[in-house]
Amino acid sequence: EPLFRSSLKKIAGFEAEIKDKEHIYNNWLELNSLYGSFHGKNFKLLAQTYTLGILTSLANVQLKGLTPRYSLKQYPQTLILIIVDHDMGDEIRPVSSLSGGESFLVSLSLALGLSALSSRSMQISSLFIDEGFGTLDNESLSLTMNALEQLRSQGRKVGVISHADEMNDGIKTQIRVEKLSNGRSKIHIVG
């Protein structure tokens, strides 16, 4: 009987060891499923999906300040963004359905969200926007100018590089570059 009890203790010890090894194996198996191939494709997608979720939240804070009509939503477990149109009963729309001005506001909110994501310890207070205004209709241009004015009123310095004459009235301080002959230019400060 003592030999029997000794054998039972050994078997119980083996069973506990097997249980521990199965737990370790299952952890590695789960990690392997996240990484996928040796290239780590699944893990990259997981990390990018997670990061896009954070970026979407930060961009929505900015977008709400620019226009409360829209918010961004990440299609679950993907890298796809969709628009929630609050003025239309929270209708879900593809980003491609936005007008030029609306697309600009969404892009601007994503850029501001990205700057918040990348600089958690400091605020980026200057923003430069190069072009993109020439294709906007008057309503979209007005919406865009209002958004830029809101950013300026929040204490951000906003620089705009544009060839669109329609923007001249909405921007108080301007640096105009006049093209002269022989490859020379002249700078005028207005406002």
Side-chain angles (χ1 to χ4, degrees), residues 73-91:
K73 186 175 182 181
Q74 180 183 8
Y75 195 79
Q77 305 303 313
T78 69
L79 298 175
I80 297 172
L81 290 177
I82 51 180
I83 293 293
V84 179
D85 189 338
H86 301 295
D87 285 0
M88 299 301 283
D90 292 344
E91 177 185 5

Side-chain angles (χ1 to χ4, degrees), residues 66-167:
L66 297 173
T67 176
R69 177 176 180 175
Y70 299 112
S71 61
L72 287 166
K73 186 175 182 181
Q74 180 183 8
Y75 195 79
Q77 305 303 313
T78 69
L79 298 175
I80 297 172
L81 290 177
I82 51 180
I83 293 293
V84 179
D85 189 338
H86 301 295
D87 285 0
M88 299 301 283
D90 292 344
E91 177 185 5
I92 303 292
R93 296 174 32 195
V95 175
S96 60
S97 71
L98 295 173
S99 71
E102 294 165 336
S103 293
F104 177 83
L105 293 178
V106 169
S107 297
L108 180 60
S109 69
L110 284 166
L112 293 169
L114 189 58
S115 72
L117 180 66
S118 64
S119 61
R120 297 249 175 180
S121 60
M122 64 180 204
Q123 182 183 358
I124 297 175
S125 59
S126 298
L127 175 70
F128 288 90
I129 300 170
D130 187 5
E131 281 301 334
F133 303 102
T135 59
L136 299 179
D137 59 36
N138 287 337
E139 183 181 337
S140 297
L141 187 60
S142 175
L143 191 65
T144 300
M145 293 301 291
N146 288 341
L148 295 176
E149 179 57 31
Q150 278 183 304
L151 291 173
R152 193 197 62 73
S153 70
Q154 294 169 4
R156 294 188 183 211
K157 293 175 183 70
V158 180
V160 175
I161 301 167
S162 179
H163 295 97
D165 291 332
E166 297 82 12
M167 296 193 70

